[in-house]
Amino acid sequence: MEQKPNFQIKNLLIMKLLLCFMMLSVLNLSGNMLMSSEVQQQVTGVVTDAGTGEPLPGVSIVLQGTTVGTVTDVDGNYSLSV
């Protein structure tokens, strides 16, 4: 008869540990999402012709694997938030 309560206590302990693990996982995921949404970097540069060194206007700059992009201005300058 005494084994049954021990079994129930072990099950309760396992359930509590699983619940804590799940809660920590959710907090970690939400923390990562907050962190990634807050941290943005500005990438800037100038696109020039390799032969002449002159700036190239109207060149498309796209972050690989995304739809995030921009176009160079009249002086070949671009700025992109990533």
Side-chain angles (χ1 to χ4, degrees):
M1 285 256 174
E2 288 182 34
Q3 288 179 341
K4 201 169 194 178
N6 283 338
F7 181 72
Q8 289 174 344
I9 290 172
K10 285 181 184 178
N11 279 345
L12 185 60
L13 180 61
I14 290 172
M15 294 300 281
K16 284 183 178 181
L17 287 173
L18 282 173
L19 182 62
C20 287
F21 176 75
M22 289 173 29
M23 289 175 66
L24 287 173
S25 297
V26 168
L27 289 173
N28 186 33
L29 287 175
S30 63
N32 286 341
M33 290 187 328
L34 284 174
M35 199 178 254
S36 66
S37 67
E38 290 175 6
V39 177
Q40 281 197 341
Q41 292 182 335
Q42 195 77 9
V43 177
T44 60
V46 179
V47 178
T48 57
D49 183 281
T52 64
E54 293 196 25
L56 295 175
V59 176
S60 296
I61 310 293
V62 180
L63 184 60
Q64 188 173 5
T66 71
T67 58
V68 176
T70 190
V71 178
T72 58
D73 65 11
V74 178
D75 297 320
N77 298 310
Y78 68 91
S79 178
L80 187 64
S81 295
V82 294

